[in-house]
């Protein structure tokens, strides 16, 4: 779980909306869930927005983790430090929902 979150955060760009659905089995940790990850910088109402969207789609949330960390990136956008003095706050959403098998539902 940690490796998948790290790789997602390293690919993410704070100036963009970064969202992905992941199958834990593809990342080496067997779990009967689908993981929704998001990084959209540190903005208000991120948790509420995701909860409302999933609730509106009748998708229950099984686990929700929402750490805000200070991230320092190089000119190419790659992470060089986390929780450094010079980093910018970034919110990493890790939300586990029941496994979604159908591709059209995942979309």
């Amino acid at each position: 779980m940690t490796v998948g979150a790290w790789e997602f955060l390293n690919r993410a760009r704070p100036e963009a909306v970064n969202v992905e659905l992941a199958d834990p089995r593809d990342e080496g940790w067997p779990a009967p869930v689908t993981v929704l990850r998001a990084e959209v910088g540190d903005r208000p109402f991120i948790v509420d927005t995701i909860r409302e969207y999933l609730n509106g789609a009748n998708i229950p949330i099984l686990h929700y983790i929402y750490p805000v960390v200070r991230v320092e990136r190089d000119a190419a956008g790659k992470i060089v430090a986390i929780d450094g003095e010079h980093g910018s706050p970034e919110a990493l959403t890790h939300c586990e929902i029941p496994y979604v098998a159908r591709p059209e539902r995942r979309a």
Side-chain angles (χ1 to χ4, degrees):
M1 177 173 56
T2 303
V3 171
W6 165 259
E7 289 173 349
F8 171 75
L9 188 60
N10 205 30
R11 287 189 308 269
R13 295 298 171 258
E15 66 279 357
V17 174
N18 306 277
V19 179
E20 77 175 9
L21 288 180
D23 184 336
R25 290 167 284 222
D26 294 339
E27 297 180 349
W29 56 288
V33 299
T34 293
V35 175
L36 180 147
R37 293 186 184 115
E39 193 289 324
V40 293
D42 184 22
R43 299 179 184 158
F45 306 112
I46 296 168
V47 173
D48 292 338
T49 301
I50 291 172
R51 283 186 176 160
E52 287 299 316
Y53 178 83
L54 292 172
N55 186 46
N58 293 318
I59 300 172
I61 296 172
L62 305 174
H63 298 286
Y64 202 108
I65 303 168
Y66 179 73
V68 177
V69 294
R70 296 190 71 77
V71 178
E72 187 176 348
R73 295 177 181 269
D74 64 15
K78 296 296 181 188
I79 296 173
V80 295
I82 292 185
D83 282 333
E85 294 179 17
H86 305 291
S88 300
E90 294 187 31
L92 172 63
T93 298
H94 173 98
C95 181
E96 296 177 12
I97 60 176
Y99 182 69
V100 180
R102 295 187 338 236
E104 65 275 7
R105 179 73 167 151
R106 290 174 66 93

